[in-house]
Amino acid sequence: MTVVAEQHIDPRAREIYVDAMTRLMEAGVDFLVVGAYAHAPIQATPTGEPLEIMPFLGSSRPEEPIIRYRASVVFHGHAHHGSLEGRTKSDVPVFNVCYPLLKRSFPEELPFRFYDVPSGSEAADAAQPEASAFTT
């Protein structure tokens, strides 16, 4: 398992990681990329929050690495009154797994989200349109 924090990684380590990921993708190696963010990478999942705090709940900047590394799924939290799920412009599913939202949405269940990732390169074959307009 590889975990990358795009914003909090040493520049040299990031360069090595990006080089390795690029070589794997060019070689056709099939691997799984899961995005995990504190805040929303799309506008759809924090929708429902007060407009005054929307700029603090997400940014479209993470969408570029989601597309570049062909993520299969993305999870984030912090949007307590947002929606449960959405999709990036490149059709990657995004799930808001904020604890209060999950507890309110599924009161009789444990506050977890499970997602079955398609096998093979199905998720990586999605079209890659330009990034969303949700920026901060």
Side-chain angles (χ1 to χ4, degrees), residues 18-36:
V18 168
D19 182 59
M21 289 290 287
T22 302
R23 288 176 189 222
L24 287 170
M25 288 188 300
E26 288 172 353
V29 174
D30 196 20
F31 54 91
L32 175 66
V33 177
V34 174

Side-chain angles (χ1 to χ4, degrees), residues 66-78:
I66 290 169
I67 292 168
R68 180 174 9 121
Y69 297 124
R70 299 184 226 153
S72 296
V73 63
V74 176
F75 299 94
H76 76 83
H78 288 296

